[in-house]
Every structure is written in C-alpha cells, then in structure tokens.
Amino acid sequence: MNRWIPNYDRLGRSLPSIFVDKHAVTEESLLKVHDAPYSALVKKEGDVVYAVDSDGKTIAEGSDDASVIRAAISYKKENSVVYIAPGTYNITGYPPTKNENGVSYQLKNFTLIIDGILCRNDSDRDIIHIDNSENVTIIFRGGYINGLNVGGTGLSFGSVKGLRIIKPRIINTVYDGIYMSACEKVYIEMPVIENVGNSGIELNPTDVGPNKNVVIENPVIYNAGVNGIGLGIGYNENITIINPKIYGCSERGIVGTHTRDLAVIGGQIHDNGYSGITLSKTENVKLIGVRSYNNGQAGGTYAGVELLGSAPEYCEHTQIFGGMYYDDQDTPTQSYGIWITGGARNTVVIGAKVYGNISEDLHDAGINSKIEHVEGYKNKNSGTATVSSGSTRVTVNHGLVDTPKKVHITPLSDPGDRYWVENRTPTSFDIVIATAPSSDVTFAWYAEV
C-alpha cells in the first residue's frame, strides 16, 4: 500500500514526494542523514502508525503508537531530528522517550518536532519524559499534548543541559504541564498551558539539584489546579519570566520558594485563588512593570504580591519597579496590593501604583524597606503648621498611610520656649510649645512612616 507523507523543507515549503520502500518520502529525505530534514519521520494512517528514516526505509510499523514513536526516537539518539506528522497518537505504557523498561533515553543534540496530537490514554504517566540529556529541542509546529485528565505530566525533564521548548501547548494533565529538576540553560518560548491538575510549569530542585539559567518567555497559563508557575523548595537560580499571562489558577500565579536571582518582567497575573505572586525566603528578586490584580478569588487574606520569610531565612533584597497592584472589581477580593511582612528585609518599591485593595494598598512591616514614588501610598509628607499666639499646640493632619515613625519640626521664628511632638496617630500628630507665644509661630514639618 502506498502512503503519502506530507513534509517540508527548513523554510516550511512543501516538497514533492516519491516512493522508496513502501512509504512515501520527499526527495530531500534521500539526502544523507546530516543533510536531511529529519532522521526519522512518524506518520499515522487509520490505526496504523509507521516510521521511516531519512533514506525512506521503514524503522517500525504497527498499531501501538507509543512503540513506533519510541523506535523512531531510539533509532538515532544523537545528532538527530524526529518529526511526528499530523495525526492523533494514543500513548499508553511508558512515554515514547523511554525504553521498554521505563528508562529514559540519553539524548544529545536531539530535536523533536511535534505536528501531531499526543494523547495519554492510560493513567499516571508522563507523556514526554527526558533525563540525563544534552542539547534537546522540542518544537511544537501545530501539534499539542493532551493528558485527557488521566496522564501525569505533559513534559518532564531531569538533568538536561541545553533545553529549548518552542511554543508548547499542553492541556488536561493530572499533574504539571511542564516539570523540570536539575536542568540548566533552558529556554521556553510561548507555552500555552491550560486545565492542568498541578502547576502549569514547575521548577522543582528537590529531586536532583537546582534548575539554573532558565528563561520562560510569553507564557499563557490558566486554570491550573495549583500554581501557574511554581519554583519549588530548594534553590532555583537565575530564573527569568518575561511577559507572563497567568489567570484562573486555584492558588497562586507565581510562587517562588528558596529562589535566587529571579526576574519577572511585565505581564498580567490576575483572578487567581490566592496571591498573584508569592515570594518566600528568596534572594535578589526583581519585579519590573508587572500588573497583578483581582487575586484572592478563593477568599482569605491575599495580595497582588506578598513577601514572606522568617529568621534566619528572610525574603531578602526584593526590588519592585513600576507595575500595578490593584483590585478594580465591584466586590474586591484582593486584600493587599503589595504586602511586605516582617519576614522581608531590604525591600525596594519604586514607581509602582496601588489602589482598590480591601485592607491596604501597600502594607510595609519589613525590615529596612525603601518605598518611594508609589502612587496611592503616601509614606512621606511635609508641610507647615502654625501655633497661634496664646495657644500651646496645633494638630497636624499628616495624610500618611499609618502612624509616622519619624517627625521632624523646625520653627520659622523664635518660639520663645521648648517645643516637641506628641500624640502621633495614623492620621495626625501635635506640635507643642511649652509656653504660649505672644505671636504666631509657624513650623515646617516632615513626617515619614
């Protein structure tokens, strides 16, 4: 039986087909392996799946989709490209990236191009799982992964150095959409992940070691059963998340625990069950131009961003530049825009905007915080107040968000006697002169929370 296999050159152009062996392949596929567009090609017709190599010869054929894909991947584990053509592939048993004993193939300079739909048809197993490999690229060129609410994790990686995942779409997994541990030099471009049971993307360093030098660009994650992006317990290092769109997750949009050198740049994180971003016992985190709003949908005390920690593991050196942390719903659910607890040290917030939150727009109980030019949060103020002749005091309404810790006063004329500040409250303080002056005395004042 002759079969036609659609294929493309490196520019995505259709190529003419000829027949070699009993499967159709392209003229370009007759080139040597290192020049061909693929090392193995997988195609499904009806209930039959088959794989051919770059010379058009059959690698495997049968009705077990996973075993045929497994044969294509194991055919040449280094310097190879495996292409899965359009079609729906039902994966049962071990993932096709593992052998029949459940051991992952060790791949090197390996590319997997997915044009088909990979469906997990039995329970509690990953769909793609790769360990102990180097320079692995997975490209979704139209296909996607569907866990069918029985499969474990969509893409799972352990100890992979040099990992690129391009435009993955993953839906309906029981556990994470993408999981990785002890991976280095990772780039994930434009992942779309929805309806997963655990985290959309989980970077968990506890199994083997930390994940290092990871970039996640333009992720769209919604309806995750736990978190949008989870940075698990045990230090991840040098993680960059660019322009995330994370919403509708049961718990948090982004959670970082024991993470060093994390940057979240831009994006929108909203309508999640708990806080938009939670940082706990982290070091050197930058949030730049992030919008985190209308979180706390599950009820309880949550925030656009919350900084947690405890001695001796503080949430240390967090910098928030710009961005908006607010609630604009008719019935607000987000308690705080920015919530800095006593477990945070050396926090900097500059140029952000906060408004509409239930309890406070910005709550600062941290150690050595620096907060400047935050619209909606006034932690510094100054002005003048006058003690009238014949009086000994004047009440100043300072306009600050809380009781000022510092108040400095300077008389602009001779007060005639001692003067001081008393009765500091969240709304006002008093300037007092020991003896009532014979003429008005004006004081310049500065107050800071």
Side-chain angles (χ1 to χ4, degrees):
M1 175 182 176
N2 295 331
R3 300 185 176 95
W4 293 90
I5 299 179
N7 201 12
Y8 311 90
D9 66 11
R10 291 182 175 88
L11 298 178
R13 297 172 299 197
S14 297
L15 295 170
S17 296
I18 60 175
F19 290 93
V20 176
D21 199 356
K22 60 181 178 179
H23 301 303
V25 296
T26 67
E27 290 176 353
E28 186 172 329
S29 72
L30 297 179
L31 300 173
K32 294 180 180 179
V33 170
H34 65 275
D35 290 326
Y38 56 77
S39 306
L41 180 150
V42 179
K43 172 69 176 175
K44 187 170 187 178
E45 288 188 356
D47 294 329
V48 177
V49 185
Y50 53 89
V52 296
D53 68 9
S54 59
D55 293 322
K57 296 182 180 179
T58 301
I59 298 171
E61 181 176 2
S63 58
D64 184 346
D65 300 5
S67 67
V68 174
I69 298 174
R70 181 177 296 115
I73 291 172
S74 63
Y75 180 70
K76 191 171 183 288
K77 303 183 191 68
E78 293 189 15
N79 304 309
S80 62
V81 177
V82 174
Y83 172 63
I84 300 177
T88 300
Y89 300 84
N90 300 313
I91 308 300
T92 58
Y94 289 117
T97 44
K98 290 186 175 184
N99 65 24
E100 299 297 342
N101 296 317
V103 178
S104 290
Y105 298 123
Q106 295 185 24
L107 306 171
K108 186 174 182 180
N109 302 326
F110 175 83
T111 298
L112 177 63
I113 302 173
I114 299 174
D115 246 350
I117 303 169
L118 304 182
C119 298
R120 185 81 239 181
N121 271 31
D122 59 357
S123 63
D124 201 27
R125 293 184 188 274
D126 303 332
I127 298 170
I128 299 292
H129 185 112
I130 298 174
D131 289 328
N132 302 311
S133 297
E134 184 176 349
N135 296 333
V136 172
T137 299
I138 299 178
I139 301 172
F140 288 74
R141 204 174 63 184
Y144 61 93
I145 286 176
N146 188 344
L148 298 176
N149 297 314
V150 294
T153 296
L155 298 172
S156 181
F157 305 94
S159 299
V160 178
K161 294 184 179 181
L163 173 62
R164 291 171 53 86
I165 309 170
I166 309 301
K167 298 183 179 180
R169 183 185 173 208
I170 301 170
I171 63 173
N172 302 328
T173 61
V174 173
Y175 301 125
D176 303 310
I178 299 174
Y179 175 95
M180 61 185 63
S181 181
C183 293
E184 298 184 28
K185 296 181 180 178
V186 177
Y187 175 67
I188 305 175
E189 178 186 342
M190 298 179 66
V192 177
I193 301 172
E194 59 181 293
N195 301 327
V196 297
N198 196 30
S199 293
I201 300 175
E202 180 73 19
L203 274 59
N204 192 335
T206 58
D207 290 352
V208 182
N211 298 286
K212 298 180 180 180
N213 303 319
V214 178
V215 175
I216 304 171
E217 187 167 2
N218 294 313
V220 177
I221 302 171
Y222 53 99
N223 292 340
V226 183
N227 304 308
I229 297 178
L231 307 174
I233 296 174
Y235 274 102
N236 294 288
E237 299 177 10
N238 195 21
I239 312 298
T240 302
I241 303 169
I242 301 171
N243 195 33
K245 294 183 180 179
I246 303 174
Y247 57 96
C249 300
S250 295
E251 295 190 9
R252 295 169 172 87
I254 297 174
V255 56
T257 303
H258 285 122
T259 296
R260 296 187 181 102
D261 301 316
L262 165 67
V264 182
I265 303 170
Q268 301 182 38
I269 302 169
H270 62 93
D271 292 281
N272 298 291
Y274 296 177
S275 291
I277 300 174
T278 297
L279 303 175
S280 177
K281 304 173 184 178
T282 54
E283 296 180 18
N284 301 325
V285 175
K286 290 183 174 66
L287 308 180
I288 303 172
V290 177
R291 288 177 62 189
S292 184
Y293 58 95
N294 298 353
N295 296 291
Q297 295 291 325
T301 304
Y302 298 107
V305 57
E306 61 179 337
L307 310 183
L308 308 175
S310 57
E313 295 180 294
Y314 291 93
C315 191
E316 187 77 71
H317 293 294
T318 303
Q319 298 177 314
I320 301 175
F321 299 122
M324 301 172 66
Y325 303 87
Y326 63 92
D327 196 311
D328 63 359
Q329 304 169 96
D330 291 338
T331 303
T333 57
Q334 188 166 280
S335 298
Y336 299 92
I338 299 174
W339 188 11
I340 305 170
T341 73
R345 299 196 306 187
N346 301 307
T347 303
V348 174
V349 184
I350 299 176
K353 183 176 182 179
V354 292
Y355 64 92
N357 300 282
I358 297 171
S359 299
E360 293 180 58
D361 290 318
L362 191 156
H363 177 83
D364 178 23
I367 301 169
N368 196 32
S369 300
K370 179 181 179 181
I371 301 172
E372 295 184 354
H373 309 296
V374 175
E375 184 176 345
Y377 176 82
K378 203 160 193 177
N379 65 325
K380 299 176 182 178
N381 205 359
S382 61
T384 60
T386 300
V387 178
S388 300
S389 63
S391 177
T392 59
R393 69 177 56 231
V394 62
T395 297
V396 179
N397 294 314
H398 52 65
L400 301 176
V401 295
D402 205 345
T403 301
K405 297 182 177 67
K406 299 178 182 178
V407 178
H408 300 292
I409 58 174
T410 303
L412 302 182
S413 59
D414 184 4
D417 206 342
R418 294 176 297 112
Y419 55 90
W420 63 90
V421 171
E422 63 184 25
N423 297 332
R424 286 183 291 175
T425 74
T427 58
S428 64
F429 60 84
D430 291 343
I431 298 174
V432 182
I433 301 178
T435 303
S438 58
S439 59
D440 294 351
V441 178
T442 298
F443 287 81
W445 62 268
Y446 169 84
E448 180 178 336
V449 172

